[in-house]
Amino acid sequence: MPHRFDFLVLGGGVAGLSFALQAAKYGTVAVLTKRERYESNTAYAQGGIASVLSPTDTFEAHIQDTLEAGAGLNHLDAVEVTVREGPDRIRELVTLGAEFNRGVSGEFDLTREGGHSQRRIIHSGDITGREVQRALVEACDAQPNITFFPNTSAIDLIIDRRPGQGVPGRCLGVYALTSEGRIERFLGKVTVLATGGAGKVYLYTSNPDVATGDGVAMAYRAGAEVANMEFYQFHPTCLYHPEAKSFLISEALRGEGGKLRLRNGQQFMDRYHRLAELAPRDVVARAIDAELKRTGDDCVHLDMTHLGRAFLMERFPNIYATCKAFNIDMAVQPIPVVPAAHYMCGGVVTDLKGRTTLPGLYAIGEVSHTGLHGANRLASNSLLEGLVFGHRAAATCAEEMRSLSARKEDPPEWDEGSAVTSDESVVVTHNWDEIRRLMWNYVGIVRTDKRLMRARRRLELLREEIRDYYWRFKVTRDVIELRNICEVASLIVDCASRRKESRGLHYTLDYPNTDDHGWKRDTVVRREL
């Protein structure tokens, strides 16, 4: 028998849990997470949440900063909704028990990050995401209408495509691989993608292992519109150390006065942007990439030594302790850093209430494309987006659910066919490594038509190999994720190949200028079914 719920949520980060809390007021909610409940991209967010919480700040300033970072592709309505509704969502989060740093007066201790004209980042030390995740999970645990299914990996959306309907097929739920190794049907009157990003499509990333682009891949295979996948944000500063895996060095360090230096101690960011270290992320990442190519060095260095040990230990306790564990004392020596894939600014196309182009399917958070980020996300707008659109989508889903008929859909069970247990798992490992390496080399911070063409040709061959493997052998979590990162990689290459200009996070040597006349628009793709 299938698992039936009113609301089916895929993903347990800030967007999915915010949605679940609101939706639980109207019906039963299932939350599927690929790993344990506390493992999500949200839990790794360090910097904070951007919002207008100071009397000296304004909505107009936050809106303008977001538009400037987005390089002309933001959707103004999405920016205004997010910025103006942000403070209320943060107050709700505080009411749930989330604790943020405060000054001696009791007011929030606001900091500043790249691209912001004001100090408007609310934070919990340098582990803001972990604190947000904790508060939301504990609030969900207190709701009897919410059921978690950890270690459960969605494989594909279930779409009702009965002939003669005359409308796109409705999403009924998902087939998912459970923690017991069974493939079961999870059905919802409404299905919500909150699966986060796809940093694992690149060789170097700040993202955890769960970030394999599952929501975008599933939605695209089902026929939903996807947009702006060429805009993948590379965080300028990840710790460069042979034993450090994907450890982010928060932008807040530069917000507090950190200086980027070459190996010889020379600063360089003032040659690239008037804001120097506080320039938008795309500018800083490209500047570091250019300097590394020019000098042949493996990394640049983020210098915090002028700020003093006491301040660094209090403001950045997690980063300080982690660097110390790798024998880097940030109080007396600069931190070696390199750019790494960080955030997906494109995604599944939605309206301002989270609705995708497929009936019954919603998308919220990093997996979605609302138009908020444009061609480059402004620092600390990501957790904010999850809070705002998780809340907005829940109210709309509740209205939609009430209008649905009481008829219970009964889609077919998963057909395993003649699949057998694989004795060729090396194929999965090899293809995984090849995809990530070719994406880093050919579709990274700086691109060319020739590099994109090479990536496209190789990905086409890999997709055939993966498709053959997928149908011949029993499904495993590794195969699910490999299939999805290959799909997402192909979408990034497709969108990047279409855009004949440089804008925001998409920089190509063949078209180095921005073309507002021909390309001030989204790159929208959809699979023909």
Side-chain angles (χ1 to χ4, degrees):
M1 293 292 293
H3 303 272
R4 295 185 185 274
F5 293 87
D6 294 317
F7 306 94
L8 177 63
V9 182
L10 309 182
V14 60
L17 298 182
S18 295
F19 175 93
L21 276 175
Q22 294 299 318
K25 301 173 184 178
Y26 308 106
T28 57
V29 184
V31 180
L32 276 58
T33 63
K34 288 205 301 181
R35 306 292 196 274
E36 296 301 325
R37 295 184 303 165
Y38 284 91
E39 183 69 1
S40 70
N41 253 357
T42 293
Y44 290 83
Q46 294 176 349
I49 310 173
S51 194
V52 178
L53 299 168
S54 166
T56 61
D57 197 4
T58 65
F59 289 142
E60 289 71 25
H62 191 180
I63 289 168
Q64 186 56 43
D65 290 346
T66 302
L67 294 175
E68 185 172 338
L73 279 196
N74 313 76
H75 296 191
L76 181 58
D77 53 359
V79 176
E80 290 184 337
V81 159
T82 306
V83 168
R84 295 182 186 279
E85 295 183 10
D88 286 343
R89 301 291 80 80
I90 288 177
R91 283 188 277 270
E92 289 173 358
L93 195 57
V94 171
T95 301
L96 292 176
E99 297 183 0
F100 299 100
N101 287 44
R102 296 177 184 268
V104 292
S105 65
E107 298 299 316
F108 291 124
D109 175 29
L110 301 175
T111 188
R112 184 182 175 194
E113 295 180 357
H116 289 274
S117 59
Q118 301 285 332
R119 296 179 74 90
R120 65 167 67 98
I121 315 298
I122 184 176
H123 61 95
S124 181
D126 55 356
I127 54 169
T128 306
R130 194 185 306 174
E131 174 61 13
V132 170
Q133 185 85 14
R134 179 201 63 78
L136 289 172
V137 169
E138 290 181 4
C140 287
D141 281 344
Q143 290 292 333
N145 264 359
I146 299 175
T147 305
F148 281 90
F149 292 87
N151 298 301
T152 300
S153 298
I155 302 170
D156 265 321
L157 299 173
I158 301 173
I159 306 294
D160 182 6
R161 300 194 190 280
R162 286 175 294 179
Q165 287 184 318
V167 295
R170 182 176 183 82
C171 181
L172 305 179
V174 296
Y175 293 109
L177 179 66
T178 69
S179 56
E180 293 81 18
R182 297 190 301 270
I183 297 176
E184 300 181 358
R185 294 166 293 170
F186 288 82
L187 306 182
K189 295 176 182 176
V190 171
T191 301
V192 181
L193 299 175
T195 50
K200 297 298 285 188
V201 78
Y202 284 99
L203 185 61
Y204 301 111
T205 177
S206 64
N207 292 178
D209 290 343
V210 294
T212 52
D214 307 319
V216 169
M218 289 190 296
Y220 178 75
R221 286 195 294 266
E225 286 186 354
V226 172
N228 288 6
M229 293 296 289
E230 68 270 38
F231 298 118
Y232 215 102
Q233 186 175 78
F234 287 77
H235 197 288
T237 54
C238 256
L239 179 62
Y240 180 76
H241 190 281
E243 297 176 16
K245 181 185 178 184
S246 307
F247 185 71
L248 183 69
I249 302 297
S250 171
E251 189 155 335
L253 274 73
R254 284 177 283 128
E256 296 291 357
K259 303 299 181 184
L260 286 166
R261 301 183 186 276
L262 300 176
R263 185 172 56 177
N264 62 9
Q266 179 186 358
Q267 288 182 236
F268 59 90
M269 275 309 304
D270 56 352
R271 290 191 277 110
Y272 289 90
H273 197 278
R274 60 181 174 79
L275 293 176
E277 278 80 6
L278 289 177
R281 285 180 178 174
D282 60 322
V283 176
V284 181
R286 273 201 307 278
I288 294 174
D289 184 69
E291 291 297 322
L292 294 182
K293 285 182 169 61
R294 182 181 67 82
T295 62
D297 292 340
D298 293 325
C299 63
V300 297
H301 295 83
L302 182 60
D303 187 2
M304 306 291 292
T305 57
H306 57 292
L307 294 175
R309 187 182 305 277
F311 173 79
L312 295 175
M313 291 181 69
E314 180 182 357
R315 176 65 181 86
F316 304 109
N318 183 52
I319 294 174
Y320 183 91
T322 301
C323 288
K324 202 71 166 33
F326 292 111
N327 296 314
I328 301 166
D329 185 347
M330 61 188 284
V332 297
Q333 65 190 110
I335 306 167
V337 293
V338 291
H342 183 60
Y343 193 88
M344 182 174 70
C345 290
V348 183
V349 174
T350 74
D351 64 12
L352 294 183
K353 297 181 177 179
R355 289 179 291 217
T356 74
T357 54
L358 285 181
L361 181 66
Y362 286 67
I364 51 177
E366 188 174 355
V367 69
S368 70
H369 174 262
T370 61
L372 168 63
H373 305 304
N376 175 44
R377 175 174 69 86
L378 181 66
S380 288
N381 269 357
S382 53
L383 294 178
L384 180 70
E385 179 185 32
L387 291 169
V388 169
F389 283 93
H391 189 279
R392 290 178 69 85
T396 305
C397 286
E399 294 174 10
E400 179 177 341
M401 190 184 70
R402 285 194 291 267
S403 67
L404 294 175
S405 67
R407 184 171 69 86
K408 286 188 176 181
E409 305 288 353
D410 190 24
E413 294 184 6
W414 178 262
D415 183 6
E416 198 170 73
S418 57
V420 298
T421 301
S422 172
D423 59 358
E424 299 179 7
S425 295
V426 67
V427 173
V428 176
T429 304
H430 178 83
N431 285 355
W432 177 280
D433 290 342
E434 184 171 352
I435 290 169
R436 298 182 69 203
R437 193 170 296 278
L438 75 84
M439 287 297 290
W440 183 262
N441 290 334
Y442 297 150
V443 202
I445 297 172
V446 176
R447 301 157 181 177
T448 67
D449 283 350
K450 183 176 287 186
R451 293 174 193 171
L452 292 173
M453 189 181 305
R454 286 173 180 163
R456 182 193 295 275
R457 282 201 300 260
R458 186 60 194 138
L459 283 169
E460 287 173 354
L461 294 173
L462 286 166
R463 288 179 81 181
E464 286 300 319
E465 289 180 20
I466 294 166
R467 187 179 296 115
D468 177 67
Y469 187 97
Y470 175 76
W471 290 111
R472 286 173 56 202
F473 299 111
K474 291 184 178 180
V475 173
T476 65
R477 187 172 69 187
D478 287 345
V479 172
I480 294 169
E481 293 182 339
L482 173 64
R483 182 178 179 231
N484 289 338
I485 70 161
C486 190
E487 194 80 75
V488 171
S490 298
L491 287 169
I492 294 172
V493 171
D494 185 9
C495 290
S497 299
R498 294 177 187 227
R499 185 169 290 276
K500 304 301 183 183
E501 65 159 359
S502 290
R503 183 188 297 270
L505 300 165
H506 174 70
Y507 185 82
T508 170
L509 295 176
D510 293 306
Y511 305 95
N513 298 318
T514 299
D515 177 9
D516 279 345
H517 178 71
W519 282 102
K520 197 173 182 179
R521 55 186 171 87
D522 296 328
T523 309
V524 181
V525 293
R526 183 172 66 87
R527 180 188 174 209
E528 294 298 329
L529 300 175

